[in-house]
Amino acid sequence: MNKELSLDATVLPKELNIILSFIKSESEGSLCSFDADVFTGINWSLFLELIRHHRINPYIYKQIKRIDKAYIPVYVSEELRRDYQQNTFRMLRLSAEMEQLSKLLSNHNIEVLFLKGPALAADLYGDISKRTCSDLDILISIDNLDRAHDLLVALDYVKDDYFSTVLNDWKWRHHHVTYMHSQKNTKIEIHWKLNPGLSYEPTFAELWERRKKSSIASFPVYMLGYEDLFMFLASHGARHGWSRLRWLVDIDRIVRHPMNWEKEIVCLKKYQMAHVGGQALVLASNLLATPLTKEMNTLIEGKRPVHLAHAALFYMKQMIHLHREPLPDDVARYHKRHLFSLMSNQLKVLHILSFLYPYPMDVELLPLPKNLHFLYFPLRPFMWLWRKTRRHSWS
C-alpha cells in the first residue's frame, strides 16, 4: 500500500491488533497462525473486554475455537462460547420479530426497509450468527410514522420519548424514535432518515425503488440496495468514529460483494459523502486487509479520506463508549470537532446557521404559548447569550 495511505496500527493495544488478525483471517476464510510468543504478556481480561466492546464475538470465536488450546486460556474460550450462543439465540428471536414486523407493516400498506439486524447478517455474512445485533432498525416514510406508532403500541411496544421538540425541529434534528417491548425485551428503532441533523441523502421513495429482497424470511423482507447500503454503513460508522469494529467489518463484507462502484461513486458524490466513503475504505484496507479495486481507489485519493481515517484511531485506541454519557470532556470536544470535519463545506455552513433555529431548551428558559413560538427565532441570539452569561456566573 502507498505509504501516504498507511495507518500506524502500533498505536492500538497489542490485544486489539491480535483481534484484527483474527478478523482478517475469518474474512479470508483461512486459519490465523501465530507464533507462541505473540500471546506472551496478553491481558486476557482486556482481550475479552475489547471483543465485547467492538461487538465482534462471532468473528473471533470462529477463529479461537480452531487455535491450539495451549495458547488461549480455557476461561477465555468458554466466555466466548457462551457469548456466541447467546448471540445466536438473540438473532433467532430478532429474525422472528423482524418477519412479524415486516408482515404487519406490509399488511397495512407501509413500505419498510430493514437497515441492519438479521437481514444484514444473512446477506453480508451468509449466517445470522456471525454478526451481533441488539435491536431492529427499520426505515419508513415520515408520512407513515403515526400509523406505524399505532401498530407498535397495539403490540405492547412503548415509545421512548427521549427528546423534546419545538417548531417540528425533530423532523431534521433527529432521525429515529425508539420503542421497547418489556416482555420480549426487544428494541425497535423507527427511522425516517438515514442520518441525524442536516444531511443530503436519498428520499425514501428512491431507496425503496432500489431496494433488495432478503433471503432470510419466508415473508418478503426488504433492505437497502448495495450502493445505498454502503453509503449508509459508511456514514453510520463515521458518525460514531468507527468506535466499534463491527461497523468496519460490515464495510469489509460489503466490499467483498459484487457492487456497481461506478454508480456508488456517483451516489456518494451526489450526497457529498465521497470523503466519508473514502475514510471507510482506508480504515478497512489498513486494519482488515480489505481488498480494494481500481474503482474504489478513486475514493481514497487526496488527503482528506486519510486524514479522517487517522482521526478515527483516537476512538479505537481508547475503547470509547459514545453512548455512555456524560462523555469525558476531552472526548466530547474531540467528537464534536470530528463530526464537524465529516461535513461537506455546504453542510458546515448550514450547520452553523442551524444554531439560529430555536431549541427545546429555549422553551424551558422562556415558556411561551404555542401560537407565539415563532418569536423564538428573533429571541434566539439573546437567549443563547443569556444562558452563556448564567453558566459563567455559576462557575
Side-chain angles (χ1 to χ4, degrees):
M1 175 177 287
N2 187 324
K3 289 185 178 180
E4 293 181 356
L5 301 179
S6 298
L7 302 181
D8 183 12
T10 60
V11 302
L12 304 177
K14 180 179 180 180
E15 291 78 4
L16 187 55
N17 274 303
I18 291 177
I19 288 170
L20 289 171
S21 296
F22 280 130
I23 295 174
K24 294 174 194 175
S25 296
E26 185 63 24
S27 292
E28 294 166 358
S30 60
L31 177 63
C32 195
S33 59
F34 290 108
D35 294 328
D37 59 352
V38 170
F39 296 101
T40 303
I42 288 295
N43 182 334
W44 292 107
S45 295
L46 176 59
F47 181 79
L48 280 172
E49 188 180 0
L50 283 166
I51 290 172
R52 287 166 173 160
H53 167 77
H54 287 289
R55 307 291 197 265
I56 47 173
N57 171 280
Y59 246 50
I60 305 305
Y61 176 68
K62 290 279 188 177
Q63 287 286 319
I64 288 276
K65 69 179 185 178
R66 296 188 291 175
I67 293 288
D68 189 329
K69 294 182 179 179
Y71 293 157
I72 311 293
V74 174
Y75 83 92
V76 172
S77 300
E78 281 300 301
E79 289 281 333
L80 292 175
R81 182 186 63 81
R82 279 194 291 268
D83 287 352
Y84 178 81
Q85 289 180 339
Q86 290 173 3
N87 178 65
T88 300
F89 292 141
R90 186 185 306 114
M91 292 297 278
L92 288 170
R93 289 195 300 270
L94 286 173
S95 295
E97 193 72 10
M98 178 186 68
E99 185 168 359
Q100 179 189 19
L101 187 59
S102 180
K103 187 178 298 185
L104 174 69
L105 295 175
S106 297
N107 288 343
H108 287 82
N109 298 315
I110 298 177
E111 297 167 338
V112 54
L113 293 168
F114 287 82
L115 296 177
K116 293 180 284 183
L120 180 71
D123 197 85
L124 295 189
Y125 296 75
D127 183 348
I128 62 171
S129 69
K130 290 187 74 173
R131 188 184 189 275
T132 62
C133 180
S134 59
D135 55 21
L136 293 175
D137 295 82
I138 67 173
L139 179 70
I140 64 175
S141 167
I142 193 170
D143 299 327
N144 290 325
L145 280 179
D146 290 338
R147 288 201 297 146
H149 168 83
D150 293 339
L151 292 171
L152 285 180
V153 169
L155 290 178
D156 294 326
Y157 276 92
V158 178
K159 182 180 178 182
D160 178 10
D161 290 313
Y162 65 93
F163 60 78
S164 302
T165 183
V166 59
L167 294 166
N168 287 326
D169 68 337
W170 64 271
K171 291 183 178 181
W172 59 272
R173 281 202 167 115
H174 302 276
H175 69 311
H176 71 74
V177 65
T178 302
Y179 290 81
M180 288 293 301
H181 197 292
S182 58
Q183 294 181 335
K184 296 180 180 180
N185 196 29
T186 304
K187 182 169 78 168
I188 295 175
E189 289 187 356
I190 299 185
H191 296 240
W192 58 90
K193 293 198 308 170
L194 294 177
N195 301 291
L198 294 165
S199 63
Y200 294 109
E201 59 182 61
T203 65
F204 179 82
E206 291 171 320
L207 296 171
W208 179 256
E209 185 180 350
R210 299 192 290 262
R211 70 190 181 279
K212 183 181 185 299
K213 185 178 179 180
S214 172
S215 60
I216 190 173
S218 56
F219 188 85
V221 169
Y222 297 104
M223 53 190 292
L224 295 172
Y226 277 152
E227 287 73 33
D228 293 318
L229 182 59
F230 176 85
M231 183 169 63
F232 167 67
L233 293 174
S235 62
H236 179 271
R239 190 171 71 249
H240 291 84
W242 300 101
S243 54
R244 296 199 195 280
L245 282 174
R246 174 181 61 185
W247 301 321
L248 199 58
V249 178
D250 288 341
I251 295 296
D252 175 78
R253 298 312 306 166
I254 193 170
V255 164
R256 294 174 187 269
H257 279 64
M259 278 179 59
N260 187 327
W261 281 97
E262 186 177 338
K263 284 186 178 179
E264 181 64 55
I265 293 169
V266 170
C267 187
L268 288 169
K269 288 181 177 179
K270 178 179 179 180
Y271 298 109
Q272 302 183 16
M273 283 195 276
H275 57 287
V276 174
Q279 180 204 36
L281 293 179
V282 171
L283 286 168
S285 62
N286 274 272
L287 302 181
L288 305 182
T290 304
L292 303 185
T293 64
K294 183 178 179 181
E295 295 144 312
M296 297 179 211
N297 281 324
T298 62
L299 285 173
I300 60 178
E301 293 174 351
K303 296 181 179 179
R304 193 174 184 191
V306 180
H307 174 76
L308 290 174
H310 276 286
L313 295 180
F314 170 86
Y315 300 88
M316 294 183 188
K317 64 185 179 183
Q318 298 187 68
M319 197 162 52
I320 289 172
H321 297 262
L322 289 175
H323 294 299
R324 186 178 292 173
E325 297 183 345
L327 291 173
D329 289 342
D330 62 323
V331 174
R333 285 193 299 269
Y334 186 93
H335 189 56
K336 186 177 180 180
R337 291 195 302 269
H338 186 60
L339 288 177
F340 190 71
S341 71
L342 291 170
M343 298 177 189
S344 65
N345 290 334
Q346 287 183 29
L347 279 179
K348 286 177 180 177
V349 173
L350 292 174
H351 176 72
I352 293 170
L353 291 176
S354 73
F355 287 110
L356 298 176
Y357 199 99
Y359 280 77
M361 63 183 73
D362 297 327
V363 180
E364 296 174 9
L365 187 62
L366 181 63
L368 291 174
K370 197 167 185 178
N371 62 337
L372 295 180
H373 277 190
F374 68 91
L375 292 176
Y376 287 121
F377 281 101
L379 289 172
R380 172 83 183 126
F382 301 102
M383 299 181 76
W384 176 83
L385 184 61
W386 187 6
R387 271 195 301 274
K388 284 286 185 181
T389 304
R390 292 173 64 187
R391 190 177 299 131
H392 286 307
S393 64
W394 293 341
S395 59

